Amino acid sequence: MFVHRRRGWEIPENRVTPEHIFHQRRALAKTLAAGPILAAAAPLLGAGRAFAASDPSAGLYPVERNPKYTVDRALTPERIATTYNNFYEFGSSKQISPAAQRLETRPWVVEIGGAVEKPMKIDIDALLKKMPLEERVYAHRCVEAWSMVVPWSGFPLKALVDFARPLGSAKYLVMQTFKNPKVAPGQRQIWYPWPYTEGLTMFEAVNELSFMVTGLYGKPVPKQNGAPLRLAVPWKYGFKHVKSIVRFEFTDKRPVSFWEKLQAKEYGFWANVNPEVAHPRWSQASERDIGTGERIPTKPWNGYGDYVAAMYANLKGEVLFR
Ligand code: MTE
C-alpha cells in the first residue's frame, strides 16, 4: 500500500506568505531597518523591470506554481534577492547587479555535447518552448552562511537530460557559464579559472529537485541572478548553482569545478549542506536569512534530506559536505 509521508517542508501553500502581502506587512520595517540598502537598490529595480519587459520570454511568465515544492519560511523580498548576489564575473562584492546589466542575453545559444547521441546547439527561446515550465519555492543556502527563499521558475533538469539523450557512458553533467571578459570585468582577473564550471553526477542531475532556472518572481530571471539559464540544487551550497549557462557536457570524468580549483580544502565537488560540518573558516550550524535578517538553524541537506540523502548512502570515502 502506498502511504504518503509528508516531508518536513511540504506544507499547505498558504503558509508561504504571498509576496505582495509579505511586502505590505514588512514594508515599513524593511525601510527602517535596511534603508541604505534599499535606497541604493532603487535605480537598479527600474533597470531590472525594463529588462523583464523587453525579454522575449517575458510573455511566458508567471508560470503555475508546483505546490509540492515550498518552504515553511517567508519569501525573501524580490528587491533583496535581486540586489544581494554572488556573480564573480561582475565583481566580488554582493552589489554586482548594475555591472551585470551589460550582459547580452539574446541571442543566447546553449550547446549540448560530450557523451550524447547527437551534439547540438539550441537557442534559449527554442529550448524554453520545449521544456515544461513551472514555479517552485526553494530555500537557497550560500556556503557563506546566508540564505533566502525564492520562487524560481524553470524546468526540471531531468527534462533537459532526456532531451539531450546522453549515452550510457555519461556519469557526470558539467555546466559552464559564458566567457566574455569584454562584458564581464571579473573575467579579466586571470588568476580565476574561467569559465565558471560546475558539475553533478547523473544521479543528481535527474533527481526531481534539480531545477533549471529561467525565471524569478514570475518574470524572466534577472541578469544578476544568472539569466537566461541557471541551476538550482537546493540541498547543496549556492556555489553549485552555476549561472548564465552556455554549455552542458556529459562525460565519464568528474569535473573540477571553479571554486574547487581555487581552494579544494574549502569547496569540494559535493557541497551538500550540513550544519555539523564547519567550513574551515566558519561554522555552518546557522544561517542569516537575508530577507528577515534573522539567524536560523541550518537544516541537514538544507531541509531536503528525504529527497536526496539516499543518493549518498553508499559513497564511502567521499567528502560530501564541503
Ligand atoms: N555562477 C557564476 N557563473 N559565477 C558566480 O560567481 N556564484 C555562486 C552561484 N553561481 C556564481 C555562480 C554563488 S557563490 C552563489 S551563493 C549563487 O550563485 C548566488 O546566487 P544568487 O546571486 O542568485 O543568490
Side-chain angles (χ1 to χ4, degrees), residues 85-89 140 142 146 148 177 196 225 230 238-239 241-243:
N85 301 103
N86 274 336
F87 203 166
Y88 276 69
E89 285 81 343
H140 172 37
C142 179
W146 54 263
M148 54 185 179
T177 299
Y196 198 99
N225 294 88
R230 66 85 68 81
F239 67 87
H241 301 213
V242 47
K243 293 180 169 179

Side-chain angles (χ1 to χ4, degrees), residues 48-253:
R49 287 206 188 98
F51 161 65
S54 67
D55 185 297
S57 70
L60 297 176
Y61 305 98
V63 289
E64 205 172 316
R65 184 175 289 180
N66 185 336
K68 187 173 181 191
Y69 306 105
T70 188
V71 179
D72 194 6
R73 275 162 65 191
L75 282 185
T76 301
E78 178 181 352
R79 59 194 162 186
I80 295 180
T82 56
T83 53
Y84 185 93
N85 301 103
N86 274 336
F87 203 166
Y88 276 69
E89 285 81 343
F90 295 101
S92 53
S93 81
K94 299 285 179 274
Q95 284 74 44
I96 52 74
S97 63
Q101 303 316 311
R102 293 194 59 205
L103 180 64
E104 292 287 343
T105 53
R106 292 296 188 286
W108 192 273
V109 175
V110 178
E111 209 180 331
I112 300 176
V116 289
E117 280 179 24
K118 200 169 162 213
M120 66 175 114
K121 289 183 179 176
I122 181 162
D123 179 78
I124 185 69
D125 295 303
L127 182 67
L128 284 172
K129 282 196 192 115
K130 291 180 189 296
M131 293 292 126
L133 295 181
E134 62 180 55
E135 184 179 77
R136 297 180 177 193
V137 175
Y138 275 172
H140 172 37
R141 169 59 157 88
C142 179
V143 74
E144 297 164 342
W146 54 263
S147 66
M148 54 185 179
V149 177
V150 288
W152 302 119
S153 309
F155 54 88
L157 177 53
K158 184 176 184 305
L160 185 128
V161 170
D162 291 344
F163 173 69
R165 298 213 296 245
L167 302 177
S169 58
K171 292 197 174 70
Y172 300 92
L173 174 57
V174 184
M175 287 156 269
Q176 272 180 339
T177 299
F178 71 90
K179 187 172 173 191
N180 185 351
K182 285 198 185 118
V183 298
Q187 292 184 333
R188 291 176 218 149
Q189 299 179 317
I190 51 164
W191 53 92
Y192 286 113
W194 309 111
Y196 198 99
T197 301
E198 262 304 341
L200 298 172
T201 63
M202 289 302 294
F203 282 114
E204 293 174 322
V206 300
N207 182 279
E208 68 172 273
L209 289 182
S210 297
F211 199 58
M212 289 316 308
V213 170
T214 61
L216 185 58
Y217 297 95
K219 286 167 271 188
V221 63
K223 297 181 181 190
Q224 61 272 24
N225 294 88
L229 190 63
R230 66 85 68 81
L231 177 69
V233 276
W235 72 100
K236 291 181 179 284
Y237 291 118
F239 67 87
K240 296 292 292 185
H241 301 213
V242 47
K243 293 180 169 179
S244 303
I245 298 170
V246 292
R247 181 166 169 82
F248 294 86
E249 163 112 9
F250 293 84
T251 170
D252 59 352
K253 285 186 199 62

